Amino acid sequence: MGQNIERRFDESMNGDNTTIKLNGGTYTGETSTGTPNGLGAWVHSDGQAYVGNWDNGNFDGHVALILPGGKKYVGECRHRQFYSSTARDPAEDRG
């Protein structure tokens, strides 16, 4: 994720956040009327994770999706669908 979204995410995680059960996983982040809205992170029990922007319960905007094997997709989503993304191998992150 870009530095701006990472900074905003870090700042939001230091504020008033809500943790809720969602689609077989746990969401922690900003909400509106009990629905993910704003910056947040969702983690499923199988290891899949999504970090980024949410709009009315759907991931939307600049996001990172991490799959159980560690493969990461970073890009743009609209209504839960990637339309621009880059896949990254976890070995690249270990330098």
Side-chain angles (χ1 to χ4, degrees):
M1 292 188 303
Q3 287 182 329
N4 188 39
I5 195 75
E6 288 177 352
R7 182 179 45 75
R8 286 182 50 223
F9 181 76
D10 288 343
E11 289 170 359
S12 77
M13 292 292 103
N14 292 324
D16 293 328
N17 291 293
T18 303
T19 298
I20 58 174
K21 296 292 182 189
L22 180 70
N23 299 327
T26 302
Y27 169 84
T28 302
E30 299 171 326
T31 61
S32 176
T33 63
T35 301
N37 203 49
L39 292 174
W42 173 82
V43 179
H44 192 269
S45 60
D46 70 2
Q48 180 177 339
Y50 162 86
V51 179
N53 292 305
W54 292 77
D55 181 31
N56 199 27
N58 295 306
F59 45 86
D60 193 83
H62 195 77
V63 300
L65 173 66
I66 300 109
L67 299 176
K71 192 167 206 167
K72 183 189 302 182
Y73 292 88
V74 178
E76 298 292 321
C77 276
R78 290 291 177 255
H79 308 291
R80 302 179 121 180
Q81 298 295 315
F82 275 98
Y83 67 87
S84 170
S85 66
T86 302
R88 295 188 57 196
D89 186 316
E92 294 174 9
D93 294 331
R94 290 185 224 130

Coordinates of all heavy atoms in Angstrom, one line a residue:
M1 N 0.8 -1.2 0.0 CA 0.0 0.0 0.0 C 0.9 1.2 0.0 O 2.0 1.2 0.5 CB -0.9 0.0 1.2 CG -1.9 -1.1 1.2 SD -3.1 -1.1 2.5 CE -2.2 -1.1 4.0
G2 N 0.4 2.3 -0.5 CA 1.1 3.5 -0.5 C 1.3 4.1 0.9 O 0.6 3.8 1.8
Q3 N 2.3 4.9 1.0 CA 2.6 5.5 2.3 C 1.5 6.2 2.9 O 1.2 6.2 4.1 CB 3.9 6.4 2.2 CG 5.2 5.6 2.1 CD 6.3 6.5 2.0 OE1 6.3 7.7 1.6 NE2 7.5 6.0 2.5
N4 N 0.7 7.0 2.1 CA -0.4 7.8 2.6 C -1.5 6.9 3.2 O -1.9 7.1 4.3 CB -1.0 8.6 1.5 CG -2.0 9.6 2.0 OD1 -1.8 10.2 3.1 ND2 -3.1 9.8 1.3
I5 N -1.8 5.8 2.5 CA -2.9 4.9 3.0 C -2.4 4.2 4.3 O -3.1 4.0 5.2 CB -3.4 4.0 2.0 CG1 -4.7 3.3 2.4 CG2 -2.4 2.9 1.6 CD1 -5.9 4.2 2.4
E6 N -1.1 3.8 4.3 CA -0.5 3.1 5.4 C -0.5 4.0 6.7 O -0.9 3.6 7.8 CB 0.9 2.6 5.2 CG 1.0 1.5 4.2 CD 2.4 1.1 3.9 OE1 3.3 1.8 4.3 OE2 2.5 0.0 3.3
R7 N -0.2 5.3 6.5 CA -0.2 6.3 7.6 C -1.6 6.5 8.1 O -1.8 6.4 9.3 CB 0.4 7.6 7.1 CG 0.5 8.6 8.3 CD 1.1 10.0 7.8 NE 0.6 10.5 6.5 CZ -0.6 11.0 6.4 NH1 -1.4 11.2 7.3 NH2 -0.9 11.5 5.2
R8 N -2.5 6.6 7.2 CA -3.9 6.8 7.6 C -4.4 5.6 8.3 O -5.2 5.7 9.3 CB -4.8 7.1 6.4 CG -4.7 8.5 5.8 CD -5.6 8.8 4.7 NE -7.0 8.4 5.0 CZ -7.8 7.8 4.1 NH1 -7.3 7.5 2.9 NH2 -9.0 7.5 4.4
F9 N -4.0 4.4 7.8 CA -4.5 3.1 8.5 C -3.9 3.1 9.9 O -4.6 2.8 10.9 CB -4.1 1.9 7.7 CG -4.5 0.6 8.3 CD1 -5.8 0.2 8.2 CD2 -3.6 -0.2 9.0 CE1 -6.3 -0.9 8.8 CE2 -4.0 -1.3 9.6 CZ -5.4 -1.7 9.5
D10 N -2.6 3.3 10.1 CA -2.0 3.3 11.4 C -2.6 4.3 12.3 O -2.9 4.0 13.5 CB -0.5 3.6 11.3 CG 0.3 2.5 10.7 OD1 -0.2 1.4 10.6 OD2 1.5 2.8 10.2
E11 N -2.9 5.5 11.8 CA -3.6 6.5 12.7 C -5.0 6.0 13.1 O -5.4 6.2 14.2 CB -3.7 7.8 11.9 CG -2.3 8.5 11.8 CD -2.4 9.7 10.9 OE1 -3.4 10.0 10.3 OE2 -1.3 10.4 10.7
S12 N -5.7 5.4 12.1 CA -7.1 5.0 12.5 C -7.1 3.8 13.5 O -8.0 3.7 14.3 CB -7.8 4.5 11.2 OG -7.4 3.2 10.8
M13 N -6.0 3.0 13.4 CA -5.9 1.9 14.4 C -5.6 2.4 15.8 O -5.8 1.6 16.8 CB -4.9 0.8 14.0 CG -5.3 0.1 12.7 SD -6.7 -1.0 12.9 CE -8.0 -0.1 12.2
N14 N -5.2 3.6 15.9 CA -4.9 4.2 17.3 C -6.2 4.9 17.8 O -6.1 5.4 18.9 CB -3.7 5.2 17.2 CG -2.5 4.4 16.9 OD1 -2.3 3.3 17.4 ND2 -1.6 5.0 16.1
G15 N -7.2 5.0 17.0 CA -8.4 5.7 17.4 C -9.5 4.8 17.9 O -9.2 3.7 18.4
D16 N -10.7 5.3 17.9 CA -11.9 4.5 18.3 C -12.2 3.5 17.2 O -12.7 4.0 16.1 CB -13.0 5.4 18.6 CG -12.8 6.2 19.9 OD1 -12.1 5.7 20.8 OD2 -13.3 7.4 19.9
N17 N -12.0 2.2 17.4 CA -12.3 1.2 16.4 C -13.2 0.2 16.9 O -13.3 0.0 18.2 CB -11.0 0.6 15.9 CG -10.2 1.5 15.1 OD1 -10.6 1.9 14.0 ND2 -9.0 1.9 15.6
T18 N -13.9 -0.5 16.1 CA -14.8 -1.5 16.4 C -14.3 -2.8 15.9 O -13.8 -2.9 14.8 CB -16.2 -1.2 15.8 OG1 -16.6 0.1 16.3 CG2 -17.2 -2.2 16.2
T19 N -14.5 -3.9 16.6 CA -14.2 -5.3 16.2 C -15.5 -6.0 16.1 O -16.3 -6.1 17.1 CB -13.2 -6.0 17.1 OG1 -12.0 -5.2 17.2 CG2 -12.9 -7.4 16.7
I20 N -15.8 -6.6 14.9 CA -17.0 -7.3 14.7 C -16.7 -8.6 13.9 O -15.7 -8.7 13.2 CB -18.0 -6.5 13.9 CG1 -17.5 -6.1 12.5 CG2 -18.5 -5.3 14.7 CD1 -18.5 -5.4 11.7
K21 N -17.6 -9.6 14.0 CA -17.5 -10.8 13.2 C -18.1 -10.5 11.9 O -19.1 -9.8 11.8 CB -18.2 -12.0 13.9 CG -17.7 -12.4 15.2 CD -16.3 -13.0 15.0 CE -15.7 -13.5 16.3 NZ -14.4 -13.9 16.2
L22 N -17.4 -10.9 10.8 CA -17.9 -10.6 9.5 C -17.4 -11.7 8.5 O -16.2 -12.0 8.4 CB -17.3 -9.3 9.0 CG -17.6 -8.7 7.6 CD1 -19.1 -8.3 7.6 CD2 -16.8 -7.6 7.3
N23 N -18.4 -12.3 7.8 CA -18.1 -13.3 6.8 C -17.1 -14.3 7.2 O -16.1 -14.6 6.4 CB -17.6 -12.6 5.5 CG -18.7 -11.6 4.9 OD1 -19.9 -11.9 5.1 ND2 -18.2 -10.5 4.3
G24 N -17.2 -14.9 8.3 CA -16.3 -16.0 8.8 C -15.0 -15.5 9.3 O -14.1 -16.3 9.6
G25 N -14.8 -14.2 9.5 CA -13.6 -13.6 10.0 C -13.9 -12.5 11.0 O -15.0 -12.4 11.5
T26 N -12.9 -11.8 11.3 CA -13.0 -10.7 12.2 C -12.5 -9.4 11.5 O -11.4 -9.3 10.9 CB -12.1 -10.9 13.5 OG1 -12.5 -12.2 14.0 CG2 -12.2 -9.8 14.5
Y27 N -13.3 -8.3 11.7 CA -13.0 -7.0 11.1 C -12.7 -6.1 12.3 O -13.5 -6.1 13.3 CB -14.2 -6.5 10.3 CG -14.1 -5.0 10.0 CD1 -13.4 -4.6 8.8 CD2 -14.6 -4.0 10.8 CE1 -13.2 -3.3 8.5 CE2 -14.4 -2.7 10.5 CZ -13.7 -2.3 9.3 OH -13.6 -1.0 9.0
T28 N -11.7 -5.3 12.2 CA -11.3 -4.3 13.1 C -11.1 -3.0 12.4 O -10.3 -3.0 11.4 CB -10.1 -4.6 14.0 OG1 -10.3 -5.9 14.6 CG2 -9.8 -3.5 15.0
G29 N -11.8 -1.9 12.7 CA -11.6 -0.7 12.1 C -12.8 0.3 12.2 O -13.6 0.1 13.2
E30 N -12.9 1.2 11.3 CA -13.9 2.2 11.4 C -15.2 1.6 10.9 O -15.2 0.8 10.0 CB -13.5 3.4 10.5 CG -12.3 4.1 11.0 CD -11.7 5.1 10.0 OE1 -11.9 5.0 8.8 OE2 -11.2 6.1 10.5
T31 N -16.3 2.0 11.5 CA -17.6 1.6 11.2 C -18.6 2.7 11.1 O -18.4 3.8 11.7 CB -18.2 0.5 12.2 OG1 -18.3 1.1 13.5 CG2 -17.3 -0.7 12.2
S32 N -19.7 2.5 10.5 CA -20.9 3.4 10.5 C -22.1 2.5 10.7 O -22.3 1.6 9.9 CB -21.0 4.1 9.2 OG -22.1 4.9 9.2
T33 N -22.9 2.7 11.7 CA -24.0 1.9 12.1 C -23.7 0.4 12.1 O -24.5 -0.4 11.6 CB -25.3 2.3 11.2 OG1 -25.0 1.9 9.9 CG2 -25.6 3.7 11.4
G34 N -22.6 0.0 12.7 CA -22.2 -1.4 12.8 C -21.7 -2.0 11.5 O -21.5 -3.2 11.5
T35 N -21.5 -1.3 10.5 CA -21.0 -1.8 9.2 C -19.6 -1.2 8.9 O -19.4 0.0 9.1 CB -22.0 -1.4 8.1 OG1 -23.3 -1.9 8.4 CG2 -21.5 -1.9 6.7
P36 N -18.7 -2.1 8.4 CA -17.4 -1.5 8.0 C -17.5 -0.3 7.1 O -18.1 -0.4 6.0 CB -16.7 -2.7 7.4 CG -17.3 -3.9 8.0 CD -18.7 -3.5 8.2
N37 N -16.9 0.8 7.5 CA -16.9 2.0 6.6 C -15.7 2.8 7.0 O -15.7 3.3 8.1 CB -18.2 2.7 6.9 CG -18.6 3.6 5.8 OD1 -18.6 3.2 4.6 ND2 -18.9 4.9 6.1
G38 N -14.8 3.0 6.1 CA -13.6 3.8 6.4 C -12.4 2.8 6.3 O -12.4 1.9 5.5
L39 N -11.4 3.0 7.1 CA -10.2 2.1 7.1 C -10.4 1.0 8.1 O -10.8 1.2 9.2 CB -9.0 2.9 7.4 CG -8.6 4.0 6.4 CD1 -7.4 4.8 6.9 CD2 -8.2 3.3 5.1
G40 N -9.9 -0.2 7.6 CA -10.0 -1.3 8.5 C -9.3 -2.6 8.0 O -8.9 -2.6 6.8
A41 N -9.3 -3.6 8.8 CA -8.7 -4.9 8.4 C -9.6 -6.0 8.8 O -10.2 -6.0 9.8 CB -7.3 -5.0 9.2
W42 N -9.7 -7.0 7.8 CA -10.5 -8.2 8.0 C -9.6 -9.4 7.9 O -8.8 -9.4 7.0 CB -11.6 -8.2 7.0 CG -12.3 -9.5 6.9 CD1 -13.4 -9.8 7.7 CD2 -12.2 -10.6 6.1 NE1 -13.9 -11.1 7.4 CE2 -13.1 -11.6 6.4 CE3 -11.2 -10.9 5.0 CZ2 -13.2 -12.8 5.7 CZ3 -11.3 -12.1 4.4 CH2 -12.3 -13.0 4.7
V43 N -9.6 -10.3 8.9 CA -8.8 -11.5 8.8 C -9.7 -12.7 9.0 O -10.5 -12.8 9.9 CB -7.8 -11.5 10.0 CG1 -6.9 -12.7 10.0 CG2 -6.9 -10.2 9.9
H44 N -9.6 -13.7 8.1 CA -10.4 -14.9 8.1 C -9.5 -16.0 8.8 O -8.3 -15.9 8.9 CB -10.6 -15.4 6.7 CG -11.6 -16.5 6.6 ND1 -11.3 -17.8 6.6 CD2 -13.0 -16.4 6.5 CE1 -12.4 -18.5 6.6 NE2 -13.5 -17.7 6.5
S45 N -10.2 -17.0 9.4 CA -9.5 -18.0 10.1 C -8.6 -18.8 9.3 O -7.6 -19.4 9.8 CB -10.5 -18.9 10.8 OG -11.4 -19.5 9.8
D46 N -8.8 -18.8 7.9 CA -7.8 -19.5 7.0 C -6.6 -18.8 6.7 O -5.7 -19.2 6.0 CB -8.5 -20.0 5.7 CG -8.9 -18.8 4.8 OD1 -8.6 -17.6 5.1 OD2 -9.5 -19.1 3.8
G47 N -6.5 -17.5 7.2 CA -5.3 -16.7 7.0 C -5.4 -15.6 6.0 O -4.6 -14.8 5.8
Q48 N -6.5 -15.7 5.2 CA -6.8 -14.6 4.2 C -7.0 -13.3 5.0 O -7.7 -13.3 6.0 CB -8.0 -14.9 3.3 CG -8.3 -13.9 2.3 CD -9.4 -14.3 1.4 OE1 -9.8 -15.5 1.3 NE2 -10.0 -13.3 0.8
A49 N -6.5 -12.2 4.4 CA -6.7 -10.9 5.1 C -6.8 -9.8 4.1 O -6.3 -9.9 2.9 CB -5.5 -10.6 6.0
Y50 N -7.6 -8.8 4.4 CA -7.8 -7.7 3.6 C -7.6 -6.4 4.4 O -8.1 -6.3 5.6 CB -9.3 -7.7 3.1 CG -9.7 -6.3 2.6 CD1 -9.4 -5.9 1.3 CD2 -10.3 -5.4 3.4 CE1 -9.7 -4.7 0.8 CE2 -10.6 -4.1 3.0 CZ -10.4 -3.8 1.7 OH -10.7 -2.5 1.3
V51 N -6.8 -5.5 3.9 CA -6.5 -4.3 4.7 C -6.7 -3.1 3.7 O -6.2 -3.1 2.6 CB -5.0 -4.2 5.2 CG1 -4.7 -2.9 5.9 CG2 -4.7 -5.4 6.0
G52 N -7.5 -2.1 4.1 CA -7.7 -0.9 3.3 C -9.0 -0.3 3.6 O -9.5 -0.3 4.7
N53 N -9.5 0.3 2.5 CA -10.8 1.1 2.6 C -12.0 0.2 2.5 O -12.0 -0.7 1.7 CB -10.8 2.2 1.5 CG -9.8 3.2 1.6 OD1 -9.7 3.9 2.6 ND2 -8.9 3.4 0.6
W54 N -13.0 0.6 3.2 CA -14.3 0.0 3.2 C -15.4 1.0 2.9 O -15.3 2.1 3.4 CB -14.6 -0.7 4.5 CG -13.7 -1.9 4.8 CD1 -12.5 -1.8 5.3 CD2 -14.1 -3.2 4.7 NE1 -11.9 -3.1 5.4 CE2 -12.9 -4.0 5.1 CE3 -15.2 -3.9 4.3 CZ2 -12.9 -5.3 5.1 CZ3 -15.2 -5.3 4.4 CH2 -14.0 -6.0 4.7
D55 N -16.4 0.6 2.1 CA -17.5 1.5 1.9 C -18.8 0.7 2.1 O -19.1 -0.2 1.3 CB -17.5 2.0 0.4 CG -18.6 3.0 0.1 OD1 -19.1 3.6 1.0 OD2 -19.0 3.0 -1.1
N56 N -19.5 1.0 3.1 CA -20.8 0.3 3.4 C -20.7 -1.2 3.4 O -21.5 -1.9 2.8 CB -21.9 0.8 2.4 CG -23.3 0.5 3.0 OD1 -23.5 0.5 4.2 ND2 -24.2 0.4 2.1
G57 N -19.7 -1.7 4.0 CA -19.5 -3.2 4.2 C -18.7 -3.9 3.1 O -18.5 -5.1 3.1
N58 N -18.3 -3.1 2.0 CA -17.6 -3.7 0.9 C -16.2 -3.1 0.8 O -16.1 -1.9 1.1 CB -18.3 -3.4 -0.4 CG -19.6 -4.1 -0.5 OD1 -19.7 -5.3 -0.4 ND2 -20.6 -3.3 -0.8
F59 N -15.1 -3.9 0.5 CA -13.9 -3.3 0.4 C -13.9 -2.5 -0.9 O -14.5 -2.9 -1.9 CB -12.7 -4.2 0.4 CG -12.7 -5.5 -0.3 CD1 -12.4 -5.6 -1.6 CD2 -13.1 -6.7 0.4 CE1 -12.4 -6.8 -2.2 CE2 -13.2 -7.9 -0.2 CZ -12.8 -8.0 -1.6
D60 N -13.3 -1.3 -0.9 CA -13.5 -0.3 -1.9 C -12.4 0.7 -1.9 O -12.1 1.3 -0.8 CB -14.8 0.4 -1.7 CG -15.3 1.2 -3.0 OD1 -15.8 0.6 -3.9 OD2 -15.0 2.4 -3.0
G61 N -11.7 0.9 -2.9 CA -10.6 1.9 -3.0 C -9.2 1.2 -3.0 O -9.1 0.1 -3.5
H62 N -8.2 1.8 -2.4 CA -6.9 1.2 -2.4 C -6.8 0.2 -1.3 O -7.1 0.5 -0.1 CB -5.8 2.3 -2.1 CG -4.4 1.9 -2.4 ND1 -4.0 1.8 -3.7 CD2 -3.4 1.4 -1.7 CE1 -2.7 1.3 -3.7 NE2 -2.4 1.1 -2.5
V63 N -6.4 -1.0 -1.6 CA -6.5 -2.2 -0.7 C -5.3 -3.1 -0.9 O -4.6 -3.1 -1.9 CB -7.7 -3.0 -1.0 CG1 -9.0 -2.1 -0.7 CG2 -7.8 -3.6 -2.3
A64 N -5.1 -4.0 0.1 CA -4.1 -5.1 0.0 C -4.9 -6.3 0.4 O -5.6 -6.3 1.5 CB -3.0 -4.9 0.9
L65 N -4.8 -7.4 -0.4 CA -5.4 -8.7 -0.1 C -4.2 -9.6 0.1 O -3.4 -9.8 -0.8 CB -6.3 -9.1 -1.2 CG -6.9 -10.5 -1.1 CD1 -7.8 -10.6 0.0 CD2 -7.6 -10.9 -2.5
I66 N -4.2 -10.3 1.2 CA -3.2 -11.3 1.5 C -3.8 -12.7 1.6 O -4.8 -12.9 2.3 CB -2.4 -11.0 2.8 CG1 -1.8 -9.6 2.7 CG2 -1.3 -12.1 3.1 CD1 -2.4 -8.6 3.6
L67 N -3.4 -13.6 0.7 CA -3.9 -14.9 0.7 C -3.2 -15.9 1.7 O -2.1 -15.6 2.1 CB -3.8 -15.5 -0.8 CG -4.5 -14.7 -1.8 CD1 -4.3 -15.2 -3.2 CD2 -6.0 -14.6 -1.5
P68 N -3.9 -17.0 2.0 CA -3.3 -17.9 3.0 C -1.8 -18.3 2.8 O -1.1 -18.4 3.7 CB -4.2 -19.1 3.0 CG -5.5 -18.5 2.6 CD -5.2 -17.5 1.6
G69 N -1.4 -18.5 1.6 CA 0.0 -18.8 1.3 C 1.0 -17.6 1.4 O 2.2 -17.8 1.3
G70 N 0.4 -16.4 1.6 CA 1.3 -15.3 1.7 C 1.3 -14.4 0.5 O 1.9 -13.3 0.6
K71 N 0.8 -14.8 -0.6 CA 0.8 -14.0 -1.8 C -0.1 -12.7 -1.5 O -1.2 -12.8 -0.9 CB 0.2 -14.7 -3.0 CG 0.4 -14.0 -4.3 CD 0.2 -15.0 -5.5 CE 1.0 -14.5 -6.7 NZ 1.0 -15.5 -7.7
K72 N 0.4 -11.6 -2.0 CA -0.3 -10.3 -1.7 C -0.6 -9.6 -3.0 O 0.1 -9.6 -4.0 CB 0.7 -9.4 -0.9 CG 0.1 -8.1 -0.5 CD 1.1 -7.2 0.1 CE 1.8 -7.7 1.3 NZ 2.8 -6.8 1.9
Y73 N -1.9 -9.1 -3.1 CA -2.3 -8.3 -4.2 C -2.6 -6.9 -3.6 O -3.3 -6.7 -2.6 CB -3.7 -8.8 -4.7 CG -3.5 -10.2 -5.4 CD1 -3.6 -11.4 -4.7 CD2 -3.2 -10.2 -6.8 CE1 -3.5 -12.6 -5.4 CE2 -3.1 -11.4 -7.4 CZ -3.2 -12.6 -6.7 OH -3.0 -13.8 -7.4
V74 N -2.0 -5.9 -4.3 CA -2.2 -4.5 -3.9 C -2.7 -3.8 -5.1 O -2.2 -3.9 -6.2 CB -0.8 -3.9 -3.4 CG1 -1.0 -2.4 -3.1 CG2 -0.2 -4.7 -2.3
G75 N -3.8 -3.0 -4.8 CA -4.4 -2.3 -6.0 C -5.7 -1.6 -5.6 O -5.9 -1.3 -4.4
E76 N -6.5 -1.4 -6.6 CA -7.7 -0.7 -6.5 C -8.9 -1.6 -6.6 O -8.9 -2.5 -7.5 CB -7.8 0.4 -7.6 CG -6.8 1.5 -7.5 CD -6.9 2.3 -6.2 OE1 -8.0 2.7 -5.8 OE2 -5.8 2.7 -5.6
C77 N -9.9 -1.4 -5.8 CA -11.1 -2.2 -5.8 C -12.3 -1.3 -5.9 O -12.3 -0.2 -5.4 CB -11.3 -3.0 -4.5 SG -10.5 -4.6 -4.5
R78 N -13.4 -1.8 -6.5 CA -14.7 -1.2 -6.5 C -15.7 -2.3 -6.2 O -15.7 -3.3 -6.9 CB -15.0 -0.5 -7.8 CG -14.2 0.7 -8.1 CD -14.6 1.9 -7.1 NE -13.7 3.0 -7.4 CZ -12.7 3.4 -6.6 NH1 -12.4 2.7 -5.5 NH2 -12.0 4.4 -6.9
H79 N -16.4 -2.1 -5.2 CA -17.5 -3.0 -4.8 C -17.0 -4.5 -4.8 O -17.5 -5.4 -5.4 CB -18.7 -2.9 -5.7 CG -19.2 -1.5 -5.8 ND1 -19.8 -0.8 -4.7 CD2 -19.1 -0.6 -6.8 CE1 -20.1 0.4 -5.0 NE2 -19.7 0.6 -6.3
R80 N -15.9 -4.7 -4.0 CA -15.3 -6.0 -3.8 C -14.6 -6.6 -5.0 O -14.2 -7.8 -5.0 CB -16.3 -7.0 -3.3 CG -16.9 -6.6 -2.0 CD -17.9 -7.6 -1.6 NE -17.5 -8.0 -0.2 CZ -18.2 -8.9 0.5 NH1 -19.2 -9.5 0.0 NH2 -17.7 -9.2 1.6
Q81 N -14.4 -5.9 -6.1 CA -13.8 -6.4 -7.3 C -12.5 -5.6 -7.6 O -12.5 -4.4 -7.7 CB -14.7 -6.3 -8.5 CG -16.0 -7.1 -8.4 CD -15.7 -8.6 -8.3 OE1 -14.9 -9.2 -9.1 NE2 -16.3 -9.3 -7.4
F82 N -11.3 -6.3 -7.7 CA -10.1 -5.7 -8.2 C -10.2 -5.2 -9.6 O -10.7 -6.0 -10.5 CB -8.9 -6.6 -8.0 CG -8.3 -6.7 -6.7 CD1 -8.6 -7.7 -5.8 CD2 -7.4 -5.7 -6.2 CE1 -8.1 -7.7 -4.5 CE2 -6.9 -5.7 -5.0 CZ -7.2 -6.7 -4.1
Y83 N -9.8 -4.0 -9.9 CA -9.8 -3.6 -11.3 C -8.3 -3.2 -11.7 O -8.0 -3.1 -12.9 CB -10.8 -2.6 -11.7 CG -10.5 -1.2 -11.1 CD1 -9.7 -0.3 -11.7 CD2 -11.2 -0.9 -9.9 CE1 -9.5 1.0 -11.1 CE2 -11.0 0.4 -9.3 CZ -10.2 1.3 -9.9 OH -10.0 2.5 -9.3
S84 N -7.5 -3.1 -10.7 CA -6.1 -2.8 -11.0 C -5.3 -3.3 -9.8 O -5.5 -2.9 -8.7 CB -5.9 -1.3 -11.1 OG -4.5 -1.0 -11.2
S85 N -4.4 -4.3 -10.1 CA -3.7 -4.9 -8.9 C -2.3 -5.4 -9.4 O -2.1 -5.7 -10.6 CB -4.4 -6.0 -8.3 OG -4.6 -7.1 -9.1
T86 N -1.4 -5.5 -8.4 CA -0.1 -6.1 -8.6 C 0.0 -7.2 -7.6 O -0.2 -7.1 -6.4 CB 1.0 -5.1 -8.4 OG1 0.8 -4.0 -9.3 CG2 2.3 -5.6 -8.6
A87 N 0.4 -8.4 -8.1 CA 0.7 -9.6 -7.2 C 2.1 -9.5 -6.8 O 3.0 -9.2 -7.6 CB 0.4 -10.9 -8.0
R88 N 2.3 -9.8 -5.5 CA 3.7 -9.8 -5.0 C 3.9 -11.2 -4.3 O 3.1 -11.7 -3.6 CB 3.9 -8.7 -4.0 CG 3.7 -7.4 -4.6 CD 4.1 -6.3 -3.7 NE 5.4 -6.4 -3.2 CZ 5.9 -5.8 -2.1 NH1 5.2 -4.9 -1.5 NH2 7.1 -6.0 -1.7
D89 N 5.1 -11.7 -4.5 CA 5.6 -12.9 -3.9 C 6.1 -12.6 -2.5 O 6.8 -11.6 -2.3 CB 6.7 -13.6 -4.7 CG 7.1 -14.9 -4.2 OD1 7.3 -15.1 -3.0 OD2 7.3 -15.8 -5.1
P90 N 5.7 -13.4 -1.5 CA 6.2 -13.1 -0.1 C 7.7 -13.1 0.0 O 8.2 -12.3 0.8 CB 5.6 -14.2 0.7 CG 4.7 -15.0 -0.1 CD 4.8 -14.5 -1.5
A91 N 8.4 -13.8 -0.8 CA 9.8 -13.8 -0.8 C 10.4 -12.4 -1.1 O 11.5 -12.1 -0.6 CB 10.4 -14.8 -1.7
E92 N 9.7 -11.6 -1.9 CA 10.2 -10.3 -2.2 C 10.2 -9.4 -1.0 O 11.1 -8.5 -0.9 CB 9.3 -9.6 -3.2 CG 9.3 -10.3 -4.6 CD 8.2 -9.7 -5.5 OE1 7.6 -8.6 -5.2 OE2 8.0 -10.2 -6.6
D93 N 9.3 -9.6 0.0 CA 9.2 -8.8 1.2 C 10.3 -9.2 2.2 O 10.6 -8.4 3.1 CB 7.9 -9.0 1.8 CG 6.8 -8.4 1.0 OD1 7.0 -7.5 0.2 OD2 5.6 -8.9 1.1
R94 N 11.0 -10.3 2.0 CA 12.0 -10.7 3.0 C 13.4 -10.2 2.6 O 14.3 -10.3 3.3 CB 12.1 -12.3 3.0 CG 10.9 -12.8 3.7 CD 11.0 -14.3 3.8 NE 9.7 -14.9 3.5 CZ 9.5 -15.8 2.6 NH1 10.5 -16.4 2.0 NH2 8.3 -16.3 2.4
G95 N 13.4 -9.6 1.4 CA 14.6 -8.9 0.9 C 15.8 -9.7 0.7 O 16.9 -9.5 0.7

